[in-house]
Amino acid sequence: MKQASHQLADRTYAQLREQSRLKSLEKMPLNIQEAVTLDDITGRTMAQLSRWEAHPDRRVMWSWQHWASRYAAIYPKRFELAIWFHSKLCSVSLGRPTWGAGKLRLDMIESSPEKTPLTGQTVQLTVLVAETYADIIGAEQIRIMNPINSKVRSHYEAMGFTYVGGKSDYCVKDLL
């Protein structure tokens, strides 16, 4: 059982995540706004993610069931996002503010291993929502942790992120 203070923080930050998703949706082109749903990671999301597990084109093997429940239990201020195009799950991501709260870490971003109408756009949409959430919670920087390979890292760099290598291994973008 969660403590009352954790439950209050959960409710407060769930509202802030919802606010960031709504604000982000308004910034998207109308043709996308009408077809896209931005949501937390729900039971519906988990059901769709289970279909990804054995897909031969999947590039990472995260256990979303494990990580989503862990983040929900430990990090009430977490960033979580499921991007849907109509009834098709296109992308899922998890992150959290750093302990000092000045940075928002995106720890996991996974796009559907199947082609979707948003293929090639999900990271940009995720970053848009993350920037909005970071602004709401007062974070001044976004970090995408542990890019899975140099091609993905280059994609982040093309979006305005700077790679920090070595033990750190993340891409960073300061927010204005």
Side-chain angles (χ1 to χ4, degrees):
M1 182 85 174
K2 293 181 184 177
Q3 293 182 348
S5 60
H6 189 94
Q7 290 175 342
L8 177 60
D10 266 348
R11 285 193 303 273
T12 300
Y13 284 91
Q15 291 172 348
L16 295 177
R17 286 192 303 273
E18 177 65 16
Q19 184 181 351
S20 70
R21 291 189 301 264
L22 291 172
K23 283 184 173 185
S24 298
L25 201 54
E26 291 172 0
K27 297 175 186 176
M28 294 178 192
L30 280 177
N31 63 327
I32 292 180
Q33 281 182 26
E34 296 168 359
V36 169
T37 302
L38 305 174
D39 202 357
D40 272 339
I41 298 173
T42 63
R44 175 180 175 224
T45 307
M46 288 300 178
Q48 290 292 312
L49 283 168
S50 69
R51 296 177 53 222
W52 292 9
E53 288 176 8
H55 197 283
D57 295 331
R58 191 170 184 210
R59 289 181 277 177
V60 292
M61 298 300 161
W62 289 318
S63 168
W64 284 100
Q65 183 73 39
H66 169 79
W67 289 110
S69 63
R70 180 174 168 83
Y71 272 57
I74 297 173
Y75 305 117
K77 298 178 183 182
R78 71 193 168 276
F79 175 85
E80 66 179 83
L81 179 64
I83 300 175
W84 296 82
F85 189 91
H86 295 295
S87 62
K88 180 81 171 165
L89 180 62
C90 299
S91 179
V92 182
S93 53
L94 270 174
R96 62 181 174 82
T98 57
W99 293 112
K103 299 159 188 69
L104 178 64
R105 300 167 44 121
L106 296 179
D107 294 312
M108 291 174 268
I109 303 172
E110 184 174 0
S111 296
S112 174
E114 299 172 353
K115 190 165 179 65
T116 73
L118 296 178
T119 296
Q121 300 176 65
T122 57
V123 172
Q124 290 92 334
L125 297 176
T126 299
V127 169
L128 172 65
V129 179
E131 287 175 347
T132 305
Y133 184 65
D135 183 56
I136 288 171
I137 65 170
E140 298 172 352
Q141 188 180 84
I142 293 180
R143 293 180 175 184
I144 302 176
M145 307 306 293
N146 305 307
I148 62 170
N149 59 40
S150 60
K151 182 179 176 184
V152 169
R153 185 175 68 223
S154 294
H155 181 65
Y156 297 153
E157 289 172 326
M159 294 174 53
F161 284 83
T162 302
Y163 179 65
V164 178
K167 286 184 177 182
S168 299
D169 195 31
Y170 62 85
C171 294
V172 61
K173 182 177 181 183
D174 290 326
L175 304 176
L176 303 174

